Amino acid sequence: MSAHKPLKLEDILNSDIWDVDYEPHIKVDSRKCEKCDVKPCTYLCPAGCYTLLEGRVLFSYEGCLECGTCRVICPEEAIDWNYPVSGRGIHYRFG
Ligand code: SF4
């Protein structure tokens, strides 16, 4: 009988690899962000791509999981969201 240890989310993500494109696949309109009081991207992005610095939203696309959450939850529609060009971005590795 084999006993499998349950995987944690961190273990699964650590097995994934990223082929980061030079061009961001997500663009954020910072002028629209300034109007947003809630800034849900800073606490709902599972990859932590959005951070707050002195009240301003900083975005980095390199660790993006391509889940689409930020595109859906942005109340100002400040996010121009696309998948990375073919073959780029995250490569999920299950198993
Ligand atoms: S698509 Fe998902 S992982 Fe990528 S930046 Fe948006 S919320 Fe974060």
Side-chain angles (χ1 to χ4, degrees):
M1 178 161 80
S2 67
H4 292 284
K5 186 177 159 194
L7 284 174
K8 295 179 185 169
L9 178 61
E10 294 81 17
D11 298 329
I12 296 168
L13 291 176
N14 282 337
S15 67
D16 297 326
I17 57 172
W18 282 259
D19 181 5
V20 178
D21 196 1
Y22 297 110
E23 286 293 321
H25 62 287
I26 298 172
K27 295 183 177 120
V28 181
D29 185 335
S30 58
R31 290 169 302 172
K32 291 183 177 177
C33 290
E34 289 171 9
K35 296 183 215 156
C36 179
D37 294 328
V38 186
K39 298 183 181 16
C41 54
T42 60
Y43 50 88
L44 291 178
C45 170
C49 293
Y50 297 85
T51 53
L52 265 180
L53 180 66
E54 297 175 0
R56 297 190 65 186
V57 174
L58 301 180
F59 173 66
S60 59
Y61 69 99
E62 291 84 351
C64 176
L65 303 173
E66 298 169 29
C67 68
T69 300
C70 56
R71 173 187 183 184
V72 173
I73 51 96
C74 178
E76 297 293 331
E77 298 184 352
I79 296 165
D80 178 12
W81 200 101
N82 294 284
Y83 282 107
V85 293
S86 181
R88 294 296 182 105
I90 190 167
H91 294 239
Y92 286 101
R93 304 172 90 180
F94 300 104

